[in-house]
Amino acid sequence: MGESTEEAGRREVLEETGIEIGRLNLAGVISGKEHHVKLPNGDEFYPVTIAYISRDMKGGVLKADGLETTEAKFSRLDDLPERLNPMIKNLIKQYAQSLSQ
């Protein structure tokens, strides 16, 4: 309760990857009808994803938590993992394109 989206992002990265990050830059907010999710139990929702970019690693050791994250590794922008969430992969590609403009 009371966490900012930036604080939540830092906490989630630390919990799921073991990496502590500092400064965050907003990469984008993703929402809308096309992201509708229906769970096997019948629950439905429309998620709102707030994505940040950070190059400010403060410390830690890269390791998947084994619960929410099954694999954690660094990848080059031109060599993203095949199993990466398509929404996140698209956001990363858009970010990379904005760097070259």
Side-chain angles (χ1 to χ4, degrees):
M1 296 291 289
E3 255 183 339
S4 69
T5 58
E6 293 88 351
E7 291 167 334
R10 287 186 195 96
R11 177 181 50 76
E12 288 290 330
V13 169
L14 181 60
E15 287 175 3
E16 296 178 23
T17 70
I19 298 295
E20 182 182 352
I21 55 174
R23 285 184 318 277
L24 296 171
N25 296 308
L26 182 64
V29 178
I30 303 159
S31 63
K33 295 177 198 172
E34 63 274 18
H35 301 289
H36 176 259
V37 175
K38 185 170 184 176
L39 300 175
N41 68 0
D43 289 350
E44 299 181 62
F45 62 95
Y46 293 88
V48 175
T49 301
I50 303 170
Y52 291 96
I53 298 292
S54 179
R55 294 179 183 209
D56 187 17
M57 287 184 28
K58 299 288 189 184
V61 176
L62 184 64
K63 181 180 177 193
D65 71 356
L67 300 170
E68 292 184 69
T69 304
T70 57
E71 182 180 16
K73 68 179 186 175
F74 294 103
S75 297
R76 293 172 39 97
L77 287 173
D78 62 356
D79 189 29
L80 297 174
E82 289 297 318
R83 297 183 316 164
L84 188 61
N85 177 312
M87 176 184 69
I88 300 302
K89 192 178 239 182
N90 186 43
L91 183 65
I92 291 170
K93 286 180 179 182
Q94 288 176 6
Y95 174 76
Q97 287 174 348
S98 75
L99 293 177
S100 64
Q101 295 176 351

